[in-house]
Amino acid sequence: MYKVMIFIDGTWLYRTLPRLAEQSGKGEFKIDYGVLPKVVARELADRLGVDYAGIDVVRNHIFASLPTNYDHLDEGLITRQNEFYTLLREDYHYETELFNIDFRGRRVRQADRDPGDNFQPREKCVDIALASKMLYQAAMPFGMDIAAVVLGDRDFTPVLQTVRQLGKRVLLVSVRSSCAQELADPEDRERVKDYDTLWMDDHIDELELRYEPQWLECQSPEHVGERAFQTTYRPRRGEPVYCDACRSAYSQRRSSGASAGYQEEESEYGPQAGLPTIGETLEGVVEFKKEEKGYGFVTTDDGISFFFHLSDLEDLDFESLEEGQEVLFEVKTLPVGGKAGAAQNVRPMEE
Ligand SMILES: [Zn+2]
């Protein structure tokens, strides 16, 4: 039995997948992380000339970075990234090691930043964490026999060499257009691998995440009629699922419920009555603060919530800002539907 551990450079993979998708003529391409270890095991069995059952993938590690202090326009993007890592951890049992990168209030994607801005996020932690975890596992007696590494940067050359010097074998899993020459070299002059490289390019159809429609049962207590429905949506484990009809009924109720206070006033006093105006100075309390992400919400006495980013603070320090603290601020944007407005110049209450 061969014990295999998979080590994924998530930052590299995140950068590489769109290119891989483009080359293979696929528009939207997502990798199926449940299938990846199986492909690795099968390809290893092939290369070793053993039965598939003789390969035991004991652990999958993924190392990646998570932006902090980013421009709040990227909130949705980062939420999706977070959900993705939670999915890997909880549903696919990956070991996820995530490292924060301070974006200093900037947009996460370089394409979204000012072209003159030469800001470079520092993300060296990911490489070093991957290297040290792999060396640790390679040096452990009875730890692993084979490290399957999903990466492409030449910085990993010395660590792959050392893993091999420790008597462990290395399978390189990479993408042709995103793999450093030293690693890709079929003659392996740098001595970084024990097998022919597993090119993800050659297995793209197999690795692609497909949303095959499946039958689920609507769990809404208000559902009427037959509960089974077909969907391509993959609910998270334990997540309640609703059919389309129940979901749209629910979201309609929610959005009207969230602004119920104003709707009553609307009918009595006209559309804008009761709502603050943009630029208006309001009093509020810090309702909630997301420490590691650099944002929070303030709520007025009337119960209207406004988002703020740490760059919206004035004479206030984000770290020492406390939930429940009273503040003054100006309205930057108004709430829409169920979505909070935005605050600016969030500052201490005048004494
Ligand atoms: Zn339903």
Side-chain angles (χ1 to χ4, degrees):
M1 183 70 96
Y2 292 91
K3 277 201 271 181
V4 181
M5 286 193 187
I6 299 178
F7 298 88
I8 302 173
D9 176 356
T11 306
W12 171 84
L13 194 55
Y14 189 72
R15 260 195 341 251
T16 303
L17 285 179
R19 214 184 297 176
L20 185 60
E22 203 178 302
Q23 278 160 20
S24 59
K26 296 183 189 288
E28 180 86 342
F29 175 79
K30 283 187 177 154
I31 189 163
D32 188 332
Y33 284 88
V35 166
L36 178 66
K38 294 183 183 123
V39 171
V40 166
R42 194 200 57 220
E43 289 295 310
L44 260 176
D46 253 24
R47 285 161 172 75
L48 285 158
V50 300
D51 193 70
Y52 179 76
I55 305 290
D56 185 12
V57 180
V58 290
R59 200 123 313 146
N60 307 312
H61 300 275
I62 188 162
F63 300 82
S65 49
L66 267 187
T68 56
N69 300 338
Y70 46 82
D71 187 316
H72 76 84
L73 290 172
D74 284 326
E75 201 54 54
L77 177 75
I78 303 305
T79 305
R80 284 196 300 280
Q81 270 192 32
N82 270 313
E83 283 168 358
F84 166 69
Y85 290 117
T86 310
L87 173 95
L88 279 189
R89 190 165 49 241
E90 294 180 3
D91 291 15
Y92 292 104
H93 303 284
Y94 276 66
E95 308 299 319
T96 54
E97 290 201 32
L98 305 178
F99 299 90
N100 289 333
I101 306 179
D102 190 342
F103 273 75
R104 298 161 196 259
R106 288 171 171 84
R107 297 298 302 269
V108 170
R109 294 195 181 108
Q110 194 174 2
D112 293 332
R113 290 199 287 269
D114 189 336
D117 187 351
N118 55 13
F119 171 73
Q120 283 293 334
R122 294 173 49 88
E123 43 190 330
K124 273 295 161 212
C125 268
V126 171
D127 293 5
I128 292 173
L130 192 157
S132 35
K133 181 56 69 73
M134 189 155 55
L135 282 178
Y136 175 83
Q137 295 292 359
M140 284 282 278
F142 315 112
M144 63 172 174
D145 302 308
I146 302 168
V149 295
V150 184
L151 44 81
D153 292 344
R154 63 188 294 265
D155 303 17
F156 289 111
T157 304
V159 69
L160 296 179
Q161 289 167 338
T162 308
V163 167
R164 297 191 64 244
Q165 281 157 14
L166 286 163
K168 309 296 174 171
R169 301 169 195 200
V170 172
L171 169 70
L172 174 66
V173 182
S174 198
V175 171
R176 286 196 178 87
S177 59
S178 305
C179 188
Q181 208 78 73
E182 291 93 323
L183 304 181
D185 179 12
E187 290 172 39
D188 191 25
R189 273 162 289 210
E190 294 287 340
R191 317 306 296 154
V192 292
K193 59 195 175 190
D194 292 85
Y195 311 100
D196 288 345
T197 303
L198 196 178
W199 295 113
M200 293 170 76
D201 321 43
D202 299 338
H203 301 274
I204 190 144
D205 282 323
E206 202 176 353
L207 287 170
E208 184 181 8
L209 180 64
R210 270 171 244 273
Y211 296 98
E212 308 270 340
Q214 56 172 351
W215 287 95
L216 295 175
E217 293 214 332
C218 177
Q219 285 162 273
S220 165
E222 283 154 48
H223 184 86
V224 186
E226 178 55 57
R227 283 185 182 273
F229 67 103
Q230 231 184 358
T231 178
T232 53
Y233 179 69
R234 292 288 130 121
R236 303 281 327 287
R237 188 179 301 161
E239 180 190 345
V241 288
Y242 297 132
C243 68
D244 283 346
C246 290
R247 202 176 26 221
S248 71
Y250 176 75
S251 62
Q252 258 172 29
R253 231 179 13 247
R254 232 183 98 143
S255 60
S256 61
S259 53
Y262 305 114
Q263 295 214 327
E264 279 168 29
E265 291 183 29
E266 241 174 65
S267 52
E268 277 184 58
Y269 311 108
Q272 289 304 313
L275 265 184
T277 52
I278 288 173
E280 189 177 337
T281 303
L282 296 175
E283 293 178 8
V285 294
V286 177
E287 188 68 39
F288 166 79
K289 185 176 86 160
K290 191 90 179 170
E291 193 75 57
E292 67 282 8
K293 301 238 186 107
Y295 70 83
F297 290 89
V298 289
T299 305
T300 64
D301 282 352
D302 300 330
I304 313 171
S305 288
F306 294 87
F307 170 93
F308 68 90
H309 182 257
L310 61 83
S311 59
D312 297 312
L313 297 180
E314 302 232 313
D315 303 324
L316 278 171
D317 176 35
F318 185 73
E319 273 170 28
S320 57
L321 192 69
E322 283 173 29
E323 288 176 8
Q325 189 171 337
E326 296 188 316
V327 290
L328 278 177
F329 65 94
E330 266 90 53
V331 176
K332 184 153 73 181
T333 62
L334 290 172
V336 187
K339 201 170 175 286
Q344 61 189 350
N345 309 326
V346 181
R347 55 194 184 273
M349 272 306 239
E350 284 138 18
E351 296 296 325

